[in-house]
């Protein structure tokens, strides 16, 4: 598999949330607003890229029997760095995300990519894998947040994460009388996730059938 294909797989085909079903705990909990989604998404991207690169660089030096504890120490250090940066420069975001920033340490996406990819591939490939998977996670949580925030409040809004008093945009698209408050609850999170995951699965099945039909047509042409 070439590097670009591996990068694109993380966005759609092997999307960590809707394709691999990883990191669902934080995804369902924090996707109540666009601010939360972007904050968590950027934090995961940061940790994914750097952890993949570091683990790839030391993969031949770490004995197999202690590799998982070593990976967790590396990931925990990076998570602590990003947590301290958020606390220092975006305290409102830190209050909103709460315990879910430290829980990135045990996020299945981070540790899963470290074990499945970074420990077996070079630094550049691992960095691209981290970017692709990280962006895939960001797109997943952002899409869920847009749907849930819009249906629950009728408004799409975002504030400056470094200054919560500054509203970057606020657009009412659904009248207040027609909002569905359920989508701000855990049930709404599960329903939104289920619909988006089903949609992605349907798309992948359609693409697979299209590829199979194309391959069959090519085979017939070659046989002639």
């Amino acid at each position: 598999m070439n590097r670009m294909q591996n990068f694109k797989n993380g966005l759609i085909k092997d999307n960590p949330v809707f394709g691999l079903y990883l990191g669902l705990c934080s995804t369902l909990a924090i996707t109540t607003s666009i601010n939360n989604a972007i904050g968590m998404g950027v934090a995961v991207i940061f940790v994914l890229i750097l952890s993949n690169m570091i683990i790839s660089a030391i993969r031949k030096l770490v004995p197999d029997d202690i590799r998982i504890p070593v990976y967790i120490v590396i990931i925990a250090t990076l998570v602590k760095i990003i947590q301290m940066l958020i606390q220092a420069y975006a305290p409102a975001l830190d209050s909103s995300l709460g315990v879910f920033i430290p829980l990135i340490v045990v996020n299945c996406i981070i540790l899963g990519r470290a074990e499945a990819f970074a420990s077996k591939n070079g630094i550049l490939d691992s960095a691209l894998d981290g970017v692709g998977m990280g962006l895939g996670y960001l797109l997943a949580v952002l899409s869920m947040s847009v749907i849930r925030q819009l249906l629950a409040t009728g408004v799409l809004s975002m504030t400056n994460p470094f200054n919560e008093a500054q509203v970057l945009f606020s657009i009412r698209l659904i009248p207040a009388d027609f909002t569905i408050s359920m989508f701000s609850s855990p049930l709404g999170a599960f329903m939104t996730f289920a619909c988006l995951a089903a949609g992605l699965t349907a798309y992948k099945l359609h693409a697979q059938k299209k590829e199979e039909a194309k391959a069959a047509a090519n085979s017939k042409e070659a046989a002639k």
Side-chain angles (χ1 to χ4, degrees):
M1 182 185 297
N2 61 47
R3 288 170 177 168
M4 186 53 63
Q5 184 62 43
N6 183 61
F7 169 78
K8 291 191 294 185
N9 281 350
L11 297 176
I12 300 177
K13 182 181 178 182
D14 293 328
N15 184 280
V17 176
F18 299 131
L20 302 178
Y21 308 118
L22 300 175
L24 297 185
C25 179
S26 61
T27 299
L28 296 173
I30 60 95
T31 51
T32 54
S33 71
I34 294 175
N35 271 70
N36 285 357
I38 293 177
M40 180 62 82
V42 170
V44 168
I45 290 172
F46 172 86
V47 176
L48 257 174
I49 294 173
L50 291 185
S51 64
N52 270 12
M53 292 177 67
I54 294 171
I55 289 167
S56 174
I58 65 171
R59 70 187 191 279
K60 296 180 180 179
L61 304 176
V62 179
D64 285 344
D65 53 345
I66 63 166
R67 69 184 188 281
I68 298 300
V70 170
Y71 297 167
I72 291 176
V73 169
I74 293 169
I75 294 167
T77 302
L78 294 172
V79 169
K80 190 60 181 178
I81 292 172
I82 194 68
Q83 183 184 15
M84 292 172 67
L85 290 172
I86 291 174
Q87 289 174 341
Y89 297 104
L93 184 61
D94 178 64
S95 299
S96 180
L97 293 176
V99 71
F100 292 101
I101 290 293
L103 283 179
I104 292 176
V105 174
V106 292
N107 192 309
C108 297
I109 301 171
I110 313 292
L111 190 57
R113 297 320 293 174
E115 174 67 10
F117 195 92
S119 63
K120 300 178 179 67
N121 293 276
I123 296 176
L124 179 57
D125 288 332
S126 298
L128 287 175
D129 179 75
V131 174
M133 285 289 168
L135 288 176
Y137 178 81
L138 175 59
L139 289 175
V141 295
L142 189 57
S143 62
M144 285 189 64
S145 295
V146 168
I147 293 171
R148 292 183 65 194
Q149 183 177 354
L150 179 60
L151 293 179
T153 67
V155 177
L156 284 182
S157 62
M158 181 179 176
T159 59
N160 185 343
F162 305 108
N163 179 11
E164 62 177 326
Q166 182 183 2
V167 179
L168 299 180
F169 64 85
S170 180
I171 308 168
R172 176 165 290 280
L173 298 175
I174 300 176
D177 292 339
F178 294 92
T179 58
I180 309 172
S181 59
M182 176 190 69
F183 279 91
S184 63
S185 69
L187 176 59
F190 277 105
M191 290 181 63
T192 305
F193 166 76
C195 291
L196 290 175
L200 181 59
T201 300
Y203 168 79
K204 290 194 293 185
L205 289 174
H206 174 74
Q208 182 180 347
K209 289 179 180 178
K210 191 174 180 180
E211 285 295 323
E212 289 173 353
K214 184 177 179 182
N218 291 338
S219 297
K220 289 181 180 179
E221 287 293 328
K224 293 179 181 179

